[in-house]
Amino acid sequence: MSCAAEDPPEPRSMSRARQWTAEVENLFRFQLAGYRDEVEYSQVKLGASVDKWPQSGFVKKLQRRDDTFYYYDKKRECQDREVHKVKVFTY
C-alpha cells in the first residue's frame, strides 16, 4: 500500500486551453517535458525547484524523466495553433 504523501495529487478535472496566457505557456512547457504541471514535476523530482526567467516568469529549464534537460527561450514558445493541445488541470 502506497502512502498518499508520495503520490502526486490526482486532478479533479481537466479542460483544454482556449487562449494563450502566461499560465498556459508554462503548462505547455511542463507538458512538453512529460509532466502535467508544476505540482507533478516537483513531486516526481522530489521538490526540485523550477528555474524561471526573471523577466517573464516563464519556465527556463526542466529535467525530463530520462534525466535529460529541456531548455526554453525567454519568449513565447506555445504558438496559437498549439494552444488547444494544452491541458489545464483543476485540483
Side-chain angles (χ1 to χ4, degrees), residues 16-17 19 29 41 51 58 62 65 70 85:
R16 300 280 180 171
Q19 63 183 7
R29 294 172 186 218
Y41 180 79
D51 292 335
F58 296 153
L62 291 174
R65 294 176 191 259
Y70 268 124
K85 298 177 185 176

Side-chain angles (χ1 to χ4, degrees), residues 24-53:
V24 169
E25 178 69 32
N26 281 334
L27 287 171
F28 174 78
R29 294 172 186 218
F30 279 107
Q31 291 170 18
L32 193 62
Y35 302 96
R36 269 195 313 254
D37 49 21
E38 189 169 354
V39 174
E40 184 182 32
Y41 180 79
S42 63
Q43 190 72 29
V44 171
K45 293 301 175 185
L46 302 175
S49 63
V50 177
D51 292 335
K52 295 187 177 183
W53 290 104

Side-chain angles (χ1 to χ4, degrees), residues 66-83:
D66 62 358
D67 294 330
T68 58
F69 287 90
Y70 268 124
Y71 295 93
Y72 300 103
D73 198 12
K74 296 176 188 176
K75 300 175 188 169
R76 175 180 174 176
E77 292 195 8
C78 180
Q79 300 301 319
D80 285 334
R81 67 177 180 266
E82 297 173 324
V83 168

